[in-house]
Amino acid sequence: MKQKGRFGQFGGFYVPEVLIPALEEMEKAFYKFYKDAKFTAELDVLYKDYAGRPTPLYYATRFSELVGFKVYIKREDLLHGGAHKVNNCLGQGLLAKYMGKTKLIAETGAGQHGLATSMIGALFGMQTKIFMGTVDVERQSVNVHKMRLCGAEVIPVKGGTETLKDAINEALRYWTANVTDTFYLFGTVCGPHPYPTIVKYFQSCIGIEAREQCLEKIGKLPDIVTACVGGGSNAIGIFSAFVDDKDVKLVGVEPAGKGIETGKHAAPLAAGSVGILHGTKMYLMQNKEGQILDTESISAGLDYPGVGPEHCLLKDTGRARYVAVKDNDVLDIFDIFTKCEGILPALESAHSLAWVYSQKGKLPADTTVVVNLSGRGDKDVDIVERNRLK
């Protein structure tokens, strides 16, 4: 391929031979159109008028008083569909249209990427199939209903843990047999090259806006930028504009589930090793024989045993710090933050808020923290209530 998609030792493309032409076609199309004047003008209009960009940078007054330092929230939850996923789906969907593809497929965990893909499928008049683990179909039923209303076919995936990893497996199997007319709209900064590069590009609008808004509203860059990390698309999206600002600390927050020490988590950067899954080299949750371990997180969107290759490089170079928080802390902050600000955070985003809350009493009062609120928590209310009753 023209671009090898390496991030240090991570990334690359480890796929069946039958998929290489499709990935090469996608890479060629991306580099042809991503700076094309007609393509970018059309995408800019869709970002503004369909998705609702730019999203605000909101000063969380009462939450800031509670933790004792300044917390600003990048409101990706206000986007159409309720999450940052629409940024990437509009970009890839438009790319698919320019490539002449007529069908979309996607995998999803929390359903936000599946919903965003279904919306874009309806917008562009494309047949859409969404692969989703049966566990996630049950725990994110509201989003499943919305996908079907948009006209998408939701395909429950059995086997394994019946979550995001297994949905990706099945989507890749389907794509292998249907590469001619089908575009695989991948949801995060994982997968074989060129997906980590493409998804980062279409999510970089989050960081570009946040950096400009910090300079405009605060008069300086923040001290810390933090975001939750599953595959890592929302985190790379906001980190990307601050990577060269060495005084800005970048903190990614993984799901510790029941606790790293229990092994029941989904935190490959905190407790994984280097391996290959779904076409890319990255930190993975695996045993000594290379078998992928089961994951566990209260958040379906973070319930994945790997992480984007650029995050792996940022960890190894020390440019970003990665921490993990437990499910119980996530449930606590869901209540605390909602009562403080009247904003329901997605359980994914609540991971980064829980880390911010854990810094109470540890950071100076003039510290400024920006949290990427990647999605809204309407979809998670039933999960929170069920766990509250336990």
Side-chain angles (χ1 to χ4, degrees):
M1 289 188 185
K2 176 184 172 185
Q3 307 288 337
K4 296 298 183 185
R6 293 282 180 182
F7 303 88
Q9 67 164 313
F10 304 104
F13 51 103
Y14 302 86
V15 296
E17 195 170 337
V18 66
L19 285 183
I20 290 178
L23 293 168
E24 288 178 332
E25 180 189 19
M26 188 179 298
E27 182 199 45
K28 183 179 178 181
F30 174 69
Y31 285 107
K32 177 181 179 182
F33 292 120
Y34 85 115
K35 289 188 176 177
D36 174 79
K38 182 173 180 292
F39 182 91
T40 54
E42 191 170 349
L43 184 59
D44 285 347
V45 170
L46 289 169
Y47 274 173
K48 179 175 180 289
D49 295 342
Y50 186 81
R53 302 211 72 85
T55 57
L57 184 70
Y58 164 74
Y59 181 57
T61 307
R62 295 190 66 222
F63 189 64
S64 296
E65 292 173 357
L66 181 65
V67 296
F69 49 85
K70 299 170 185 174
V71 180
Y72 286 81
I73 306 296
K74 182 59 176 166
R75 297 291 310 273
E76 293 295 290
D77 60 308
L78 293 180
L79 288 168
H80 178 44
H84 73 293
K85 294 294 187 183
V86 71
N87 304 323
N88 172 51
C89 287
L90 280 173
Q92 287 198 50
L94 190 61
L95 183 62
K97 180 181 167 185
Y98 273 58
M99 292 171 67
K101 302 295 183 182
T102 58
K103 298 176 182 176
L104 297 176
I105 61 168
E107 82 297 335
T108 195
Q112 291 303 125
H113 176 59
L115 173 58
T117 303
S118 302
M119 288 162 19
I120 272 55
L123 176 69
F124 292 148
M126 295 180 176
Q127 291 183 35
T128 305
K129 295 180 186 290
I130 306 298
F131 296 86
M132 190 171 188
T134 53
V135 168
D136 292 336
V137 168
E138 181 179 351
R139 62 179 169 173
Q140 300 291 346
S141 59
V142 174
N143 273 338
V144 171
H145 187 57
K146 290 178 181 177
M147 288 179 233
R148 288 172 173 153
L149 286 173
C150 287
E153 179 185 0
V154 179
I155 302 172
V157 176
K158 296 183 177 180
T161 55
E162 301 182 351
T163 57
L164 181 57
K165 167 177 68 69
D166 310 293
I168 294 175
N169 287 339
E170 195 59 30
L172 282 170
R173 270 194 287 271
Y174 180 89
W175 195 36
T176 301
N178 297 273
V179 293
T180 304
D181 60 356
T182 301
F183 186 100
Y184 185 1
L185 207 165
F186 205 79
T188 192
V189 286
C190 292
H193 175 69
Y195 282 116
T197 298
I198 290 177
V199 177
K200 174 188 176 181
Y201 179 77
F202 290 131
Q203 293 292 4
S204 63
C205 53
I206 305 172
I208 292 169
E209 281 178 15
R211 193 178 187 281
E212 291 174 352
Q213 290 167 330
C214 284
L215 294 172
E216 180 182 342
K217 294 178 73 100
I218 311 170
K220 68 182 186 69
L221 295 179
D223 300 294
I224 300 171
V225 174
T226 184
C228 63
V229 177
S233 66
N234 89 93
I236 281 293
I238 195 164
F239 286 0
S240 60
F242 296 95
V243 166
D244 294 333
D245 300 311
K246 302 303 182 187
D247 291 335
V248 179
K249 296 178 181 175
L250 307 177
V251 179
V253 186
E254 292 189 299
K258 302 299 183 189
I260 297 294
E261 69 284 358
T262 68
K264 297 180 177 179
H265 59 84
L269 290 170
S273 57
V274 178
I276 294 171
L277 178 66
H278 297 144
T280 194
K281 190 174 184 181
M282 56 187 170
Y283 279 105
L284 282 175
M285 291 176 55
Q286 60 184 342
N287 63 20
K288 292 179 180 177
E289 288 73 41
Q291 297 297 311
I292 302 302
L293 300 174
D294 290 347
T295 55
E296 183 162 330
S297 170
I298 195 167
S299 163
L302 304 182
D303 204 347
Y304 183 63
V307 63
E310 190 167 1
H311 284 295
C312 302
L313 179 63
L314 293 174
K315 167 188 161 68
D316 279 7
T317 59
R319 179 62 190 93
R321 174 188 171 204
Y322 294 89
V323 298
V325 299
K326 295 181 180 178
D327 286 349
N328 286 341
D329 296 324
V330 172
L331 289 167
D332 288 345
I333 204 67
F334 186 92
D335 281 348
I336 292 169
F337 188 76
T338 303
K339 285 184 170 64
C340 271
E341 300 294 339
I343 298 170
L344 276 69
L347 287 176
E348 290 79 7
S349 312
H351 282 70
S352 46
L353 290 169
W355 176 79
V356 171
Y357 186 69
S358 74
Q359 300 305 295
K360 180 180 180 181
K362 298 177 183 176
L363 296 176
D366 61 351
T367 303
T368 300
V369 180
V370 172
V371 181
N372 192 22
L373 197 71
S374 58
R376 68 185 186 218
D378 310 43
K379 65 184 178 58
D380 297 319
V381 170
D382 286 347
I383 296 173
V384 172
E385 289 301 313
R386 284 199 299 271
N387 279 273
R388 186 178 281 146
L389 294 174
K390 286 182 179 177

